[in-house]
């Protein structure tokens, strides 16, 4: 029988119950199976269809038409009862990833015969056995630093043997990295790759060995994939030049100086003790050979050879390594945006942007910088096409702020047909009298005032003098046509609304807020170059009723007006409610002193909430301005009034089809409020201080549709949480932002924006409305094809944001970006950006849980991961043993992020988690940019015990796993929302003394410590500076939690170690990778 359909498949090629089952249902498409054509003459065993399911009935081949990518408006298709895609296994896969499987180590050994991180297409050809000159136990690497092939990103490899590209360098050559459970240090063992069985035969499965790697043929020509030819080497071939990412080089390489590898002993034939083997390891193999272990699942193997050891976690791709490599390659450099479709450095790398015609990656990042030319290709690979746009991103001091272009009365120049704004992509023709729009091809007249001659290259002579012709990002001053009612806008206002119910007075919160506002109001945001802020301020306190304050500068004392009819909300005063802080400072100070005393004896514990927002909207309407409400609130609004809520927290719904209701806001009043707020340009920022459930999903609905933020401080105490809250408040009040914003994304012909995710409101399908947009908020935009894209013309997008500045000026902020288009999937994968992809997946999954069972969403995420990687394997990698896991270089750490996403609170489905916290995390992520989701899903774990106190640098982060912690170590972990200082049990006393001023760890009281004492020694100064730098850099404040090893509080810390098993369910990274590998193999068989 033909060997074809069966190459060296380890035993787990059969599906095991308890896994994610079935074919793949794309978010928008009907669930379909993914069947590769079977090898002729091989009967597919029934065991390979998922347990408990009929074999998929759809006979579709794995071809470009497999998945429908755009026909369905709803991204996650609702599961149909009959669909095999969502077949529910007997119990949740996330609590036990592969239940009836062997123990983890062994299972892993069985599952990953080999990992290979290929850049494009480079899978090993089968290799001959090693020669006598191979050096056992010496370092072997499989990628060369100098020269990656033109299409694969350069991989920097130091010779010091740190694992690169997820490969372990110490130990046996792992040429397509066969990881059959062998020890990673020590001589190459024969037969490492097979199903975890060790044997004393020749090395197999694409191991790296000395000798030209050829398809079993030895010849004296150039060593190519089994054939000699005079062209450039191809994917999968070994060459005298650089191996491609993931290719195996001839012979173990021995480091000889940084970054260079010598090649040793590539002899044509092996020593006599290694006879040339047929089959996958040499020539053709016609069936199982005697003494060859594991050619087929279940084939017995001899037990010769050293005993198996645990698989080395260093051999699988590492995010920290990828980040460090990118920093080493691109850190500190200038990134010029003059090339279409170039992939920028990672968000974690420090670099300077020079705008030369495309928007900075700080403003726009994409899931891929090379779009597939056709909808068919996009369906085939299932890589989502999306941009993450952060229109107000902060720019570092060494980058120029955006230029402002003012064309006076005529306003910005736009295409007559598609309304795109003048930008570097417009083509001037006819001696400069007309221009052709590159978005829609319409030819427009150039207005007389704008005319300029063209040079010999057809470019305008004033090209470099006009930002809109030479830069990717700039602003236009908008004319009255762009203003509401054709009137210039008023400067925005900030209204502070303080809940003065019993709990907030007793906790000291009200006094804390009033004291802080005295100094904070001095720092209101202002226009660049302005002496003072134009922002007006107003004050409201409330419990069951609302108190408005007149703080007009002419008054000696502030006046209070009470509105008790909360059903018909109105603002009782116009003049004196919103005032200029500088003019009314004395009256405001007076008021802030009085508020805590005025309510000191209150017993009122009931509050209203919706009328408070309504009051803010009415105030802005009356003043004809936009603005922001800062609401400080502590409990569920239970007083009789519109928007009254009742407790609907029900843990019994977790892991049922009704779990989605826990994330859905209660309809009615709050829905209408969101509309009113957006129409008026009223943004809501909510500071919550709950001691029990308060239905955050509903209360945060308005902030999440108006571009606002939600901050939450559980069981707030002034002593422990006060500083943490005040840091958030200061950042929030001082943020630079735009008000009353409308954003539209235009694209060149062939594709268009179809879906938008973020803290936004949409009245129609194209206009993204935001009551305000600040420097931390991002909108994720998904694109779909509506025609074929051309490789020559590329694809263009223009994001135009109309908004009111903090000084009350109406402006248009324009960001332009040009991308490549390709008909080669390998090129598309090469230009992918993992951090952007995971931002997109997080947002689309978090939206999907509003309409679907959480378990279905998890299944879809895993299936799509497998699908994207299977498509790469099938179309871009050269054929190789099915037992090898091959990942595209640009996505090699994608599984780590995906596994971390599936373990996040909103998706994990555990009754132990607080419903409000899950809803809070869901809403926070919806508005995040790429750097924030990256950090949220892969926290930084920084070792501090061996920090160099003399250096400016922060120590390099370690992989997020408990295996990296040491008993004598001290580690800082942060993810942008939480920050921990973990102390090992054997931490040296002098370290503890230097940091905490106590003689030993036993004297420490971590529960009472939320900041490090200011001690005058180098270590204390260094650690405090690292922490304060992090707090400064992140959008949110973080409360430091000091954790001792094996204390009760350590469990909280451990849930952030995302490469390990999840606390509330969810698998380790290693197990997830095996699982995905199994899914990929199932898709391909």
């Amino acid at each position: 029988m033909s060997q074809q359909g069966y190459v060296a498949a380890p035993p787990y090629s059969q599906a095991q119950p308890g896994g994610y089952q079935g074919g793949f249902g794309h978010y928008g498409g009907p669930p379909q199976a993914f069947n590769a054509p079977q090898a002729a003459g091989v009967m597919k065993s029934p065991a390979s269809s998922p347990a408990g399911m009929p074999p998929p009935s759809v006979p579709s081949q794995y071809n470009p038409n497999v998945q429908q990518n755009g026909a369905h408006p709803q991204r996650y298709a609702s599961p149909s009862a009959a669909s095999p895609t969502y077949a529910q296994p007997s119990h949740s896969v996330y609590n036990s990833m592969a239940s009836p499987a062997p123990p983890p180590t062994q299972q892993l050994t069985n599952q990953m015969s080999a990992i290979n991180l290929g850049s494009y297409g480079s899978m090993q050809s089968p290799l001959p056995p090693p020669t006598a000159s191979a050096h056992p136990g010496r370092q072997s690497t499989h990628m060369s630093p100098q020269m990656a092939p033109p299409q694969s990103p350069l991989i920097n490899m130091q010779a010091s043997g740190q694992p690169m590209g997820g490969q372990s360098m110490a130990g046996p050559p792992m040429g397509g990295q066969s990881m059959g459970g062998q020890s990673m240090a020590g001589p190459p063992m024969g037969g490492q790759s097979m199903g975890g069985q060790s044997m004393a035969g020749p090395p197999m499965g694409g191991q790296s060995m000395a000798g030209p790697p050829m398809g079993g043929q030895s010849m004296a020509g150039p060593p190519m994939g089994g054939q000699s030819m005079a062209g450039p080497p191809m994917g999968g071939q070994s060459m005298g030049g650089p191996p491609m990412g993931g290719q195996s080089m001839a012979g173990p390489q021995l480091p000889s100086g940084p970054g260079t590898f010598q090649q040793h002993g590539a002899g044509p034939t092996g020593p006599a003790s290694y006879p040339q083997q047929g089959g996958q390891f040499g020539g053709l193999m016609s069936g199982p050979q005697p003494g060859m272990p594991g050619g087929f699942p279940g084939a017995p193997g001899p037990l010769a050879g050293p005993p198996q050891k645990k698989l080395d976690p260093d051999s699988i791709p590492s995010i920290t390594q990828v980040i460090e490599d990118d920093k080493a390659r691109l850190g500190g450099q200038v990134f010029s945006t003059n090339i279409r479709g170039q992939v920028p450095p990672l968000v974690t790398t420090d670099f300077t942007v020079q705008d030369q015609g495309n928007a900075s990656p700080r403003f726009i990042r994409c899931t891929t910088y090379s779009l597939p030319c056709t909808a068919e290709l996009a369906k085939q690979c299932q890589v989502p096409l999306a941009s993450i746009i952060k229109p107000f991103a902060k720019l570092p001091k060494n980058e120029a702020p955006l230029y402002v272009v003012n064309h006076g009365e005529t306003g910005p120049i736009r295409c007559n047909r598609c309304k795109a704004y003048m930008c570097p992509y417009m083509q001037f023709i006819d001696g400069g009298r007309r221009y052709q729009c590159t978005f829609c091809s319409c030819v427009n007249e150039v207005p007389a005032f704008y005319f300029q001659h063209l040079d010999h290259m057809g470019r305008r002579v004033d090209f470099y003098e006009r930002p809109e012709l030479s830069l990717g990002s700039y602003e236009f001053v908008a004319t009255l046509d762009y203003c509401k009612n054709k009137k210039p806008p008023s400067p925005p206002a900030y209204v502070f609304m303080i809940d003065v119910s019993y709990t907030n007075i007793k906790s000291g919160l009200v006094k804390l807020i009033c004291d802080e506002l005295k100094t904070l109001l001095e720092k209101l945001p202002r226009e660049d170059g302005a002496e003072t802020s134009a922002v007006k301020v107003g004050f409201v306190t409330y419990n069951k009723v609302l108190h408005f304050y007149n703080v007009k500068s002419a008054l000696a004392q502030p006046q209070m007006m009470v509105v008790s009819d909360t059903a018909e909300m109105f603002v009782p005063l116009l003049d004196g409610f919103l005032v200029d802080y500088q003019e009314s400072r004395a009256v405001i100070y007076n008021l802030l002193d009085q508020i805590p005393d005025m309510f000191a004896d209150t017993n009122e514990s009931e509050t209203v909430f919706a009328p408070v927002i309504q009051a803010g909207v009415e105030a802005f309407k009356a003043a004809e301005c936009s603005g922001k409400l800062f609401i400080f609130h502590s409990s569920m609004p239970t007083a009789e009034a519109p928007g009254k809520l009742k407790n609907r927290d029900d843990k019994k719904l977790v892991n049922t089809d009704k779990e989605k209701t826990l994330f859905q806001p209660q309809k009615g009043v709050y829905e209408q409020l969101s509309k009113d707020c957006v129409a008026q340009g009223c943004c809501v920022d909510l500071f919550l201080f709950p001691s029990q459930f308060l239905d955050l999903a509903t209360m945060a609905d308005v902030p999440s549709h108006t571009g606002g933020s939600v901050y939450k401080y559980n069981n707030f105490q002034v002593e422990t949480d006060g500083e943490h809250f005040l840091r958030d408040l200061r950042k929030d009040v001082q943020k630079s932002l735009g008000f009353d914003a409308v954003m539209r994304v235009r694209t060149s012909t062939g594709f268009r924006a179809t879906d938008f995710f973020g803290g936004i409101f949409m009245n129609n399908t194209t206009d993204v409305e935001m009551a305000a947009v600040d420097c931390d908020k991002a909108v994720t935009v998904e694109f779909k094809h509506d025609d074929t894209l051309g490789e020559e013309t590329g694809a263009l997008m223009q994001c135009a944001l109309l908004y009111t500045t903090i000084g009350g000026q109406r402006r248009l902020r324009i960001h332009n970006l040009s991308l490549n288009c390709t008909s080669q999937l390998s090129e598309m994968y090469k230009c992918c950006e993992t951090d952007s992809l995971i931002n997109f997946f997080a947002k689309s999954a978090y939206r999907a849980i509003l309409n679907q069972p959480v378990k279905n969403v998890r299944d879809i995420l895993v299936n799509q991961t497998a699908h994207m990687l299977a498509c790469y394997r099938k179309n871009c990698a050269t054929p190789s043993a099915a037992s090898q896991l091959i990942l595209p270089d640009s996505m090699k750490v994608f599984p780590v992020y995906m596994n971390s996403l599936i373990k996040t609170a909103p998706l994990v489905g555990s009754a132990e988690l607080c419903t409000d916290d899950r809803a809070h995390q869901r809403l926070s992520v919806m508005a995040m940019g790429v750097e924030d989701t990256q950090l949220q899903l892969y926290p930084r774990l920084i070792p501090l015990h061996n920090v160099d106190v003399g250096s400016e640098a922060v120590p390099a982060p370690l992989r997020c796993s408990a295996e990296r912690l040491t008993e004598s170590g001290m580690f800082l972990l942060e993810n942008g929302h939480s920050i921990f200082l973990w102390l090992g049990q054997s931490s040296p006393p002098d370290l503890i003394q230097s940091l905490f001023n106590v003689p030993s760890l036993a004297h420490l009281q971590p529960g009472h410590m939320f900041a490090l004492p200011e001690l005058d020694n180098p270590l204390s100064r260094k650690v405090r500076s690292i922490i304060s730098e992090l707090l400064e850099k992140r959008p949110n404040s973080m409360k430091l939690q000091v954790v001792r090893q094996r204390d009760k509080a350590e469990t909280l810390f451990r849930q952030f170690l995302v490469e390990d098993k999840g606390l509330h369910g969810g698998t380790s990274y290693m197990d997830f990778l095996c699982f995905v590998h199994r899914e990929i193999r199932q898709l391909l068989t």
Side-chain angles (χ1 to χ4, degrees):
M1 102 186 230
S2 147
Q3 166 62 13
Q4 248 176 320
Y6 261 116
V7 181
Y12 65 90
S13 58
Q14 282 89 24
Q16 307 192 12
Y20 294 89
Q21 316 237 335
F24 180 71
H26 179 50
Y27 291 169
Q32 300 189 19
F34 177 109
N35 297 333
Q38 288 182 30
V42 178
M43 182 71 180
K44 190 169 176 192
S45 78
S48 63
S49 70
M53 282 174 51
S57 54
V58 188
S60 75
Q61 303 281 39
Y62 180 28
N63 65 18
N65 313 315
V66 167
Q67 296 304 341
Q68 179 60 22
N69 200 11
H72 297 260
Q74 195 190 343
R75 164 155 280 293
Y76 286 75
S78 315
S80 67
S83 138
T85 310
Y86 302 113
Q88 309 258 346
S90 50
H91 54 281
S92 158
V93 60
Y94 256 90
N95 297 333
S96 72
M97 194 84 192
S99 336
T105 317
Q106 183 196 339
Q107 179 188 2
L108 203 105
T109 309
N110 294 351
Q111 292 193 359
M112 251 164 161
S113 301
I115 270 199
N116 185 8
L117 302 173
S119 307
Y120 308 94
S122 43
M123 259 328 290
Q124 283 76 339
S125 318
L127 307 174
T131 61
S133 63
H135 297 247
R138 297 293 292 273
Q139 294 186 332
S140 145
T141 55
H142 311 282
M143 296 185 206
S144 139
Q146 298 90 329
M147 327 144 294
Q151 84 237 46
S152 86
L154 221 134
I155 293 177
N156 250 331
M157 291 208 30
Q158 313 303 320
S160 56
Q162 74 264 57
M164 292 292 310
Q167 300 169 326
S168 162
M169 308 269 157
M174 296 169 52
Q177 279 155 288
S178 34
M179 299 176 49
Q182 72 272 30
S183 141
M184 300 273 156
M189 301 187 312
Q192 284 153 323
S193 96
M194 300 301 295
Q197 297 163 321
S198 148
M199 64 170 214
M204 315 187 194
Q207 266 168 240
S208 160
M209 323 168 206
M214 303 180 194
Q217 302 162 306
S218 155
M219 49 176 155
M224 300 191 180
Q227 35 177 346
S228 158
M229 50 180 163
M234 326 247 238
Q237 294 162 194
S238 162
M239 24 188 166
M244 306 198 181
Q247 225 171 270
S248 164
M249 285 179 74
Q253 266 95 71
L254 300 169
S256 61
T260 57
F261 291 91
Q262 295 171 344
Q263 229 167 282
H264 282 258
T269 50
S273 58
Y274 285 123
Q276 184 90 14
Q277 286 289 344
Q280 181 199 343
F281 320 104
L284 289 170
M285 178 166 156
S286 55
Q289 297 189 357
M292 284 287 294
F296 297 93
L303 298 175
Q308 290 177 359
K309 298 206 181 69
K310 191 181 167 193
L311 186 62
D312 180 1
D314 281 339
S315 58
I316 55 178
S318 149
I319 287 182
T320 49
Q321 189 61 56
V322 166
I323 288 173
E324 289 305 311
D325 293 347
D326 198 70
K327 280 184 179 163
R329 198 161 58 96
L330 301 168
Q333 298 192 11
V334 173
F335 176 75
S336 293
T337 69
N338 54 348
I339 300 169
R340 183 176 84 189
Q342 63 177 333
V343 183
L346 297 179
V347 283
T348 42
T349 300
D350 216 2
F351 60 101
T352 302
V353 179
Q354 192 171 30
D355 185 341
Q356 294 190 347
N358 283 296
S360 158
R362 303 191 204 289
F363 296 122
I364 307 183
R365 280 186 176 265
C366 300
T367 53
T368 176
Y369 290 83
S370 203
L371 303 182
C373 282
T374 63
E376 280 63 44
L377 270 182
K379 283 175 202 168
Q380 189 180 341
C381 67
Q382 303 235 334
V383 173
L385 310 177
S387 289
I388 296 88
I389 302 174
K390 209 180 196 182
F392 276 88
K394 274 200 213 73
L395 294 177
K397 292 190 171 58
N398 60 351
E399 290 179 23
L402 299 195
Y403 285 93
V404 180
V405 179
N406 191 346
H407 287 320
E409 302 274 297
T410 49
I413 292 168
R414 308 176 66 175
C415 169
N416 292 329
R417 185 195 289 160
C418 70
K419 301 294 182 218
Y421 293 86
M422 179 54 68
C423 69
Y425 315 137
M426 301 298 189
Q427 294 288 324
F428 287 87
I429 51 175
D430 201 5
R433 284 185 287 279
R434 297 191 297 166
Y435 69 91
Q436 182 168 26
C437 170
T438 33
F439 291 90
C440 70
S441 305
C442 173
V443 174
N444 300 270
E445 295 292 326
V446 173
F449 84 92
Y450 200 67
F451 173 77
Q452 186 55 270
H453 293 287
L454 307 184
D455 64 13
H456 65 288
M457 311 221 344
R459 259 197 336 204
R460 283 175 56 122
V461 179
D462 61 355
F463 177 79
Y464 288 110
E465 291 152 38
R466 292 197 177 270
E468 73 274 25
L469 298 181
S470 53
L471 298 178
S473 300
Y474 42 87
E475 293 199 317
F476 287 116
V477 174
T479 57
L480 291 181
D481 294 338
Y482 294 88
C483 303
K484 269 187 193 159
N485 310 325
K486 304 273 170 109
K487 281 188 356 199
S490 312
Y494 284 3
V495 180
F496 297 90
M497 312 180 104
I498 306 169
D499 163 3
V500 288
S501 60
Y502 177 81
T503 45
N504 283 0
I505 293 290
K506 284 291 167 276
S507 70
L509 175 65
V510 174
K511 182 164 175 25
L512 185 71
I513 294 168
C514 291
D515 289 348
E516 177 64 25
L517 285 179
K518 290 179 193 169
T519 52
L520 191 52
L521 292 174
E522 298 282 356
K523 299 175 188 154
L524 290 171
R526 55 175 190 253
E527 285 279 16
D528 291 338
E531 292 274 310
T532 58
S533 172
V535 176
K536 300 267 194 287
V537 293
F539 303 88
V540 172
T541 56
Y542 66 94
N543 39 44
K544 264 163 74 164
V545 298
L546 277 77
H547 322 107
F548 293 81
Y549 297 93
N550 183 344
V551 283
K552 204 158 62 170
S553 55
L555 297 172
Q557 283 286 333
Q559 296 172 346
M560 172 158 120
M561 295 184 169
V562 180
V563 176
S564 51
D565 179 6
T566 50
E568 293 294 322
M569 202 61 227
F570 68 99
V571 178
L573 72 161
L574 290 180
D575 192 26
F577 177 60
L578 295 177
V579 298
D580 182 308
Y581 169 70
Q582 298 298 339
E583 287 174 17
S584 299
R585 184 187 301 176
V587 191
I588 290 172
Y589 260 54
N590 207 327
L591 171 67
L592 293 173
D593 282 337
Q594 291 178 27
I595 288 175
D597 302 337
M598 237 187 304
F599 299 99
D601 303 325
T602 185
N603 289 320
E604 187 54 75
S605 59
E606 285 198 313
T607 55
V608 296
F609 182 63
V612 180
I613 298 177
Q614 191 66 52
V617 176
E618 296 301 329
F620 292 156
K621 264 189 196 153
E624 295 188 348
C625 70
S626 51
K628 189 183 250 201
L629 309 179
F630 296 83
I631 303 180
F632 305 92
H633 189 94
S634 66
S635 58
M636 189 188 284
T638 51
E640 279 307 326
K644 173 185 175 178
L645 298 177
K646 45 184 193 300
N647 191 339
R648 60 187 185 121
D649 188 18
D650 185 356
K651 292 287 166 64
K652 289 196 207 65
L653 299 180
V654 175
N655 283 323
T656 70
D657 285 0
K658 290 197 175 151
E659 183 172 7
K660 56 185 180 232
T661 58
L662 297 175
F663 298 110
Q664 293 167 351
Q666 295 183 32
K667 294 276 187 277
V669 176
Y670 292 99
E671 216 172 359
Q672 187 54 46
L673 262 182
S674 294
K675 283 186 185 151
D676 296 349
C677 284
V678 171
Q680 189 51 48
C682 166
C683 169
V684 179
D685 277 354
L686 187 53
F687 293 82
L688 293 169
F689 306 88
S691 52
Q692 57 201 37
F693 178 76
L694 46 57
D695 196 356
L696 187 136
T698 303
M699 293 187 70
D701 191 43
V702 178
S704 69
H705 281 99
T706 57
S709 306
V710 180
Y711 302 90
K712 183 163 177 277
Y713 312 91
N714 296 341
N715 304 312
F716 179 84
Q717 292 176 310
V718 169
E719 306 73 49
T720 58
D721 305 284
E723 197 47 46
H724 169 41
F725 153 63
L726 292 178
R727 275 197 304 261
D728 272 334
L729 178 59
R730 288 171 199 142
K731 279 188 182 217
D732 199 49
V733 169
Q734 295 173 49
K735 266 181 191 172
S736 57
L737 72 176
F739 289 92
D740 205 2
V742 184
M743 181 174 103
R744 183 175 278 199
V745 178
R746 293 181 173 83
T747 53
S748 51
T749 49
F751 75 122
R752 65 196 162 87
T754 54
D755 213 347
F756 301 87
F757 305 85
I760 56 174
F761 184 83
M762 297 199 67
N763 256 329
N764 56 36
T765 54
T766 54
D767 293 341
V768 177
E769 297 184 51
M770 294 169 279
V773 54
D774 66 43
C775 53
D776 299 316
K777 300 286 185 293
V779 179
T780 298
V781 184
E782 188 182 12
F783 300 101
K784 291 266 162 65
H785 287 79
D786 45 21
D787 204 348
T788 302
L789 297 169
E791 295 194 40
E792 301 76 41
T793 50
L796 310 175
M797 68 176 80
Q798 182 179 78
C799 162
L801 182 88
L802 175 66
Y803 73 101
T804 302
T805 66
I806 202 84
Q809 190 183 34
R810 203 75 176 139
R811 280 197 198 159
L812 282 150
R813 180 169 280 224
I814 312 292
H815 297 300
N816 302 290
L817 187 63
S818 59
L819 302 175
N820 286 330
C821 298
T822 179
S823 51
Q824 303 297 319
L825 280 175
S826 57
E827 184 62 25
M828 196 269 321
Y829 277 103
K830 193 182 98 183
C831 297
C832 280
E833 187 178 82
T834 291
D835 298 334
S836 297
L837 277 169
I838 203 68
N839 175 286
F840 173 84
F841 278 114
K843 291 186 182 187
S844 52
Y846 281 4
R847 180 194 286 175
I849 57 178
L850 292 175
N851 311 311
Q852 279 198 59
V854 172
K855 185 190 173 308
N856 287 6
V857 176
R858 288 198 305 260
D859 289 357
I860 288 172
L861 288 172
V862 175
N863 277 325
Q864 186 148 2
T865 302
H867 207 113
M868 290 178 352
L869 298 175
C871 175
Y872 174 79
R873 167 75 190 248
K874 182 173 178 4
N875 297 291
C876 311
T878 21
S880 63
S883 56
Q884 286 180 319
L885 173 60
I886 305 173
L887 303 169
D889 197 68
S890 62
M891 287 166 72
K892 64 186 175 196
V893 291
F894 183 73
V896 196
Y897 286 116
M898 184 53 86
N899 186 40
S900 177
L901 171 61
I902 291 170
K903 292 191 285 190
T904 54
L907 291 177
V908 84
S910 161
E912 293 166 38
L913 293 166
C914 153
T915 304
D916 277 341
D917 285 350
R918 295 178 74 195
H920 185 217
Q921 187 175 339
R922 189 188 87 77
L923 290 169
S924 308
V925 168
M926 288 307 284
M928 278 184 186
V930 177
E931 51 278 57
D932 300 333
T933 46
Q934 188 277 329
L935 189 63
Q936 172 101 16
L937 294 172
Y938 201 85
R940 292 176 62 181
L941 180 64
I942 302 170
L944 294 178
H945 43 278
N946 47 12
V947 62
D948 176 1
V949 291
S951 144
E952 288 285 294
V954 175
L958 303 175
R959 295 177 70 153
C960 246
S961 164
E963 290 184 2
R964 308 289 154 169
L965 304 174
T966 54
E967 296 228 335
S968 58
M970 176 170 72
F971 298 84
L972 192 69
L973 182 141
E974 61 104 15
N975 75 341
H977 288 267
S978 307
I979 185 166
F980 295 89
L981 183 59
W982 183 90
L983 305 165
Q985 272 193 320
S986 326
S987 299
D990 55 330
L991 206 71
I992 301 296
Q993 181 72 50
S994 304
L995 272 188
F996 301 100
N997 207 15
V998 294
S1000 75
L1001 198 58
H1003 292 78
L1004 201 63
Q1005 293 185 303
H1008 304 283
M1009 179 170 288
F1010 301 99
L1012 295 180
E1014 298 199 10
L1015 303 175
D1016 190 16
N1017 66 65
L1019 182 67
S1020 175
R1021 282 193 294 273
K1022 176 70 181 170
V1023 172
R1024 279 183 292 115
S1025 86
I1026 290 175
I1027 292 174
S1028 61
E1029 193 182 309
L1030 287 175
L1031 291 176
E1032 185 55 39
K1033 210 153 81 179
R1034 305 294 174 228
N1036 291 29
S1037 158
M1038 298 179 278
K1039 173 176 155 187
L1040 181 68
Q1041 298 171 67
V1042 178
V1043 174
R1044 277 186 306 208
Q1045 187 179 8
R1046 304 206 173 86
D1047 272 7
K1048 195 174 159 205
E1050 198 193 16
T1051 49
L1052 185 62
F1053 164 82
R1054 282 186 179 263
Q1055 72 189 30
F1056 292 96
L1057 300 173
V1058 296
E1059 289 199 16
D1060 300 341
K1061 254 196 167 65
L1063 242 92
H1064 303 288
T1067 174
S1068 71
Y1069 165 37
M1070 188 87 92
D1071 289 345
F1072 181 74
L1073 203 53
C1074 295
F1075 189 82
V1076 167
H1077 186 195
R1078 194 162 70 211
E1079 290 291 289
I1080 292 170
R1081 296 183 53 186
Q1082 227 170 316
L1083 290 173
L1084 294 174
T1085 48

